Each structure stands twice: as structure tokens, then as C-alpha cells.
Amino acid sequence: MTTFTNNTLVEQRAPAPGWPEILAGAVTYAASYGLVAVFLPLIEDDGVTGVVGLFVSGLMGLIALAVVVLVRIRGLAPFGFRRAKVRHLALGAALGLAAFVILSIAAFAFMAVGGEVQNVQASYQAGAAGGVLSLVLTFVAGSVITPIGEEAFFRGVIANSLLARYGAWIGIIASAAIFAAAHGINPIMGRAFVVGVLAALLFRRTGSIWPGVMLHGVNNTAALMLPVIVAAATP
């Protein structure tokens, strides 16, 4: 919204999201999470469970954002839906790939010394390995819908709010910890925390969720598709 005062254009900026937005989004996200926890296990096929699970992961974030927008800030730009520069998108993609490689090496090193890492993404990988249609749906859900939904809520709302009020250290670390906790107490939690830190740094640097979406999407794509590629290449 703009107003004119003494022939000078004055931009009336929307307020930064804060605790009202965090609480409204958190309640909505938690309610959606509860419904998914009840109904998703009713699906018996692992591949279908994986595809549906990825779609609803993204939808939960988008539904939470929709509720948040209705609280008081009627627009998407204050939540990071802003155009990003190509170099920032490229940086996001590079960081997503680097995070996947480094964290995968760490996981293999842990297993090499006798540690056990549970594969909590087995149903997602089953979806990717379930044929051409299932592979396409898994890619769309895991590499596009999930990153957009999760970045919209966890960076556009939570990190955005915490950064504006408490500064970089608390905003980045706390939002990444919340993002990791939302993935459950399991081996993927550490990976989610690292992705959350990197995505929050990108958000702070650019003011846009899209570099984080690129980071998130590339990381998810590698995690979903690499096992399928390895299996196909193995005699």
C-alpha cells in the first residue's frame, strides 16, 4: 500500500511476521501433522505411502502459511515470496548438493566404525523405485512440493520472525532446530538441522525463500534418486 504526503511517495511496509504468525502456523502445522500421523499408516503399499507422504509434507507447510497470511499480513512478499537472483539460486543448488555429499560421507564413516543408521526414507525411495509414474510423482512431491511448502513455513514464517526479533544467531539456530525437530527423533534429524541452518542463512542474505527451495530441492532429489540410480547400475 502506498500513500502520498507532501508530494512524496511513502511506502507503508507490512509488519514483519512475529509471534502471532508463529503460533497460528505452529497450531495449524501440528494439527495437520497429527492427521497425517493417524491416516498415513493406513496405506499398506510402501511406495504409495512414500509419494503421499512427500505430497502432504509440502501441503502442511502451505496450509500453515495460508492460515498465517490471514492473521494480519495479507500478502506473500513479507514471507519471502520475492524474486531471487540467479546467482543466489545457483548458490542454493550448490549448497544443497554439498550438504548431501558431506552428510552422506559422515553417515558412511559412522557405519564404517560400527554405527548403525536406520533408513527412515525407505518409503520415499520405494516410491522413486516404483516405476516411471511413481518416479515422476516422487520427484514432483519430494523435489518441488515439499521444498516449497517447508521453506514457506519454516523459513518464510519461523526463521523470518526470529531473525527480525532476535538477530542472526538465535534466528538461524532456533529455526533450524525447530525444522529438525519437525522431522522427528531419527537419523534424518541431523541432516534436517544442517539444511535448516543453510536455508536460514540464504534467507537472511537474500530475503527470498527461493534459494532455500533450490537447496532443499537438490538435497531431496539426491537423497531420493541416488539409491534408484545405484540399484539400476548394480548387476
Side-chain angles (χ1 to χ4, degrees):
M1 180 184 297
T2 58
T3 59
F4 291 90
T5 304
N6 296 329
N7 297 323
T8 301
L9 181 64
V10 179
E11 182 74 18
Q12 293 184 341
R13 296 181 181 274
W19 282 107
E21 285 74 26
I22 289 179
L23 293 175
V27 169
T28 304
Y29 193 90
S32 301
Y33 195 101
L35 289 173
V36 171
V38 170
F39 291 106
L40 190 63
L42 299 179
I43 302 175
E44 296 182 355
D45 184 278
D46 281 348
V48 175
T49 299
V51 172
V52 173
L54 288 170
F55 269 109
V56 298
S57 292
L59 290 176
M60 288 191 300
L62 293 173
I63 291 169
L65 175 68
V67 171
V68 166
V69 169
L70 296 176
V71 173
R72 60 181 177 137
I73 303 174
R74 306 303 172 87
L76 292 176
F79 298 100
F81 282 80
R82 301 185 177 97
R83 182 178 298 176
K85 295 180 179 179
V86 173
R87 70 173 184 271
H88 293 149
L89 296 174
L91 177 61
L95 287 174
L97 183 59
F100 174 78
V101 171
I102 292 170
L103 291 170
S104 296
I105 292 172
F108 284 126
F110 178 71
M111 289 188 290
V113 297
E116 183 177 351
V117 178
Q118 179 188 5
N119 184 8
V120 297
Q121 295 186 316
S123 63
Y124 302 149
Q125 292 163 359
V132 175
L133 178 60
S134 185
L135 175 63
V136 170
L137 291 174
T138 299
F139 174 79
V140 171
S143 302
V144 181
I145 303 299
T146 293
I148 292 174
E150 292 189 343
E151 291 304 312
F153 179 57
F154 288 101
R155 253 59 69 185
V157 177
I158 295 179
N160 192 0
S161 303
L162 297 178
L163 284 167
R165 278 153 181 78
Y166 304 108
W169 282 102
I170 293 177
I172 291 169
I173 300 300
S175 65
I178 293 169
F179 179 61
H183 285 74
I185 309 299
N186 55 54
I188 206 66
M189 192 176 188
R191 184 181 295 272
F193 180 77
V194 172
V195 169
V197 167
L198 294 175
L201 284 168
L202 285 172
F203 182 84
R204 180 174 180 267
R205 174 71 177 84
T206 67
S208 171
I209 68 165
W210 298 116
V213 169
M214 286 295 296
L215 184 158
H216 203 147
V218 168
N219 188 272
N220 282 9
T221 299
L224 292 169
M225 302 305 169
L226 185 60
V228 177
I229 295 172
V230 171
T234 302

